Amino acid sequence: MSKDKKKKSLRYSLIRPISNEKWQPISIPFVSIIISFIAAAIVILLIGKNPLQAFYNLFQGAGILPKPSYAGYKSMLTDFLSLLNAMTPLVFASLAVAVAFRAGLFNIGVSGQMLVSGFLATIIVGYSGLDAIIAKPLVLLIGMVAGGLMGGLVGWLKYKFNINEVVTTIMLNYIAQYVISFFIQMYYIDPVSRQSKYISEAARLTLVNVEIANLKMDIPLGFILAIITAILIKFVMDKTVVGFEIKAVGNNRNAAKYAGIKVGRNTVLAMVISGGLAGLAGVTYYLGYFSSIQPKVLSSIGFDSIAVSLLGNSHPIGVIFSSFLVSIIDQGSTYMSSQAGIRQEISSVIIGLILLFSACGAYLKHKVSRLKEKEVDQKESES
């Protein structure tokens, strides 16, 4: 066999795992993750550390693998529940970005929508003294409505005045950040923590320090809701007229309009759904994972969700798995830093590499299709 044929044979064997178009939404992100971890391992080797040990410590810190020892009332289970608690708002936020992507929109204002929803739920319910059976569903309702209205405003401005949604959402992020900071510092500040006053336990969406079998664990009530929501969004997008119209508008607005689909209505509707999901992310973050709001700070989850949605191929089920992976890296970084002697910022490098390689998904699809065409042409010429 000649060298050229050997090279071609090797090239085809490398692309074969991602050549099946049916499985590309799963296989390409998976390959991107593997490549990013290899690249991260090279970075860790360059700073003189053992990458296998670092990754092992990363999974230990996230509750995926057991640690050598635990503090009182703690175990691998409590670490894993903390991981799910941190993951819950990220799933909602990433779904918000994914829905907007499906409609051809870029919702970069998830952080602002989270903040507005979290703040309104905090002052209306968090300080109200309502019983848990009323307070918790009301928090979720306020989150959805507040986020949906904010997202709907962005969609309406896009439809009515053709204002780019990226510009609108960035400006609304700043408005939300500083207006809410003013109200917190004027009326709701805690003099000790310099954050908003802590909400009542009845309004909190995470059950904190629940003692079971001599373990104190944080139980995220919103996690199951996040999984159900992802499944529901998949059903809506794949099996309903609304989902079909939103995707049609996202694929080609002019063709959708020619086919009789109301582009403006579906643009607004997509942003309402996206904003509502961002609102759920806000209440599970500010009234779940945390129990107060830090003034002048936008949650990084709103921006991390863009990477997570890209990695998950804007697919609701893919978003769950990509959120799980990014949460593992984020939650395990502190323990990795302390045990392996690697700076915590390496976790950000890993996430950045994952985003970089996942963004190359379209290029990989193009490259695979070109190589398959060449393979077919070569077989035809040989025959």
Side-chain angles (χ1 to χ4, degrees), residues 182-312:
F182 168 79
F183 280 104
I184 289 174
Q185 291 179 331
M186 289 296 294
Y187 303 107
Y188 305 106
I189 196 73
D190 185 295
V192 177
S193 67
R194 304 307 301 171
Q195 300 184 98
S196 67
K197 296 174 184 175
Y198 293 103
I199 62 169
S200 66
E201 288 298 320
R204 193 165 179 182
L205 298 175
T206 297
L207 303 179
V208 182
N209 289 329
V210 177
E211 191 166 345
I212 302 174
N214 203 34
L215 296 173
K216 288 185 178 179
M217 53 191 73
D218 297 341
I219 302 175
L221 300 177
F223 178 73
I224 300 300
L225 178 62
I227 303 302
I228 293 172
T229 302
I231 295 170
L232 182 61
I233 292 295
K234 183 183 185 304
F235 175 79
V236 170
M237 288 297 170
D238 294 348
K239 304 295 183 180
T240 67
V241 174
V242 171
F244 172 79
E245 291 186 349
I246 287 175
K247 288 190 291 184
V249 170
N251 289 331
N252 191 317
R253 287 175 173 267
N254 292 329
K257 188 175 181 179
Y258 182 78
I261 295 172
K262 295 182 179 179
V263 174
R265 186 189 69 183
N266 283 284
T267 299
V268 175
L269 178 60
M271 284 306 300
V272 168
I273 296 171
S274 178
L277 292 166
L280 288 173
V283 294
T284 52
Y285 183 74
Y286 292 112
L287 293 92
Y289 187 60
F290 289 111
S291 59
S292 64
I293 302 172
Q294 186 178 355
K296 294 185 181 178
V297 175
L298 287 173
S299 168
S300 63
I301 285 179
F303 304 105
D304 293 342
S305 61
I306 298 169
V308 172
S309 183
L310 285 172
L311 179 60

Side-chain angles (χ1 to χ4, degrees), residues 50-269:
N50 184 345
L52 294 178
Q53 183 63 42
F55 294 148
Y56 186 78
N57 294 145
L58 187 74
F59 286 106
Q60 283 181 313
I64 304 300
L65 295 172
K67 296 176 183 175
S69 62
Y70 291 91
Y73 300 102
K74 297 298 178 182
S75 72
M76 182 177 163
L77 177 60
T78 60
D79 287 349
F80 184 71
L81 286 173
S82 295
L83 170 71
L84 297 185
N85 194 21
M87 174 184 164
T88 300
L90 183 59
V91 173
F92 282 122
S94 303
L95 287 172
V97 175
V99 169
F101 276 154
R102 288 296 184 94
L105 302 167
F106 190 13
N107 185 3
I108 202 172
V110 170
S111 287
Q113 293 152 18
M114 286 176 63
L115 183 58
V116 169
S117 301
F119 177 70
L120 290 175
T122 294
I123 62 174
I124 295 171
V125 183
Y127 302 145
S128 66
L130 290 171
D131 291 336
I133 196 170
I134 299 173
K136 294 183 192 300
L138 191 56
V139 163
L140 293 171
L141 179 62
I142 291 171
M144 284 191 293
V145 172
L149 289 174
M150 200 169 173
L153 173 63
V154 173
W156 181 77
L157 290 172
K158 171 78 174 180
Y159 159 64
K160 196 72 176 178
F161 304 105
N162 199 28
I163 300 175
N164 190 287
E165 71 279 1
V166 174
V167 176
T168 309
T169 49
I170 289 174
M171 293 301 102
L172 287 175
N173 277 349
Y174 282 115
I175 293 169
Q177 182 179 357
Y178 291 107
V179 169
I180 288 174
S181 174
F182 168 79
F183 280 104
I184 289 174
Q185 291 179 331
M186 289 296 294
Y187 303 107
Y188 305 106
I189 196 73
D190 185 295
V192 177
S193 67
R194 304 307 301 171
Q195 300 184 98
S196 67
K197 296 174 184 175
Y198 293 103
I199 62 169
S200 66
E201 288 298 320
R204 193 165 179 182
L205 298 175
T206 297
L207 303 179
V208 182
N209 289 329
V210 177
E211 191 166 345
I212 302 174
N214 203 34
L215 296 173
K216 288 185 178 179
M217 53 191 73
D218 297 341
I219 302 175
L221 300 177
F223 178 73
I224 300 300
L225 178 62
I227 303 302
I228 293 172
T229 302
I231 295 170
L232 182 61
I233 292 295
K234 183 183 185 304
F235 175 79
V236 170
M237 288 297 170
D238 294 348
K239 304 295 183 180
T240 67
V241 174
V242 171
F244 172 79
E245 291 186 349
I246 287 175
K247 288 190 291 184
V249 170
N251 289 331
N252 191 317
R253 287 175 173 267
N254 292 329
K257 188 175 181 179
Y258 182 78
I261 295 172
K262 295 182 179 179
V263 174
R265 186 189 69 183
N266 283 284
T267 299
V268 175
L269 178 60

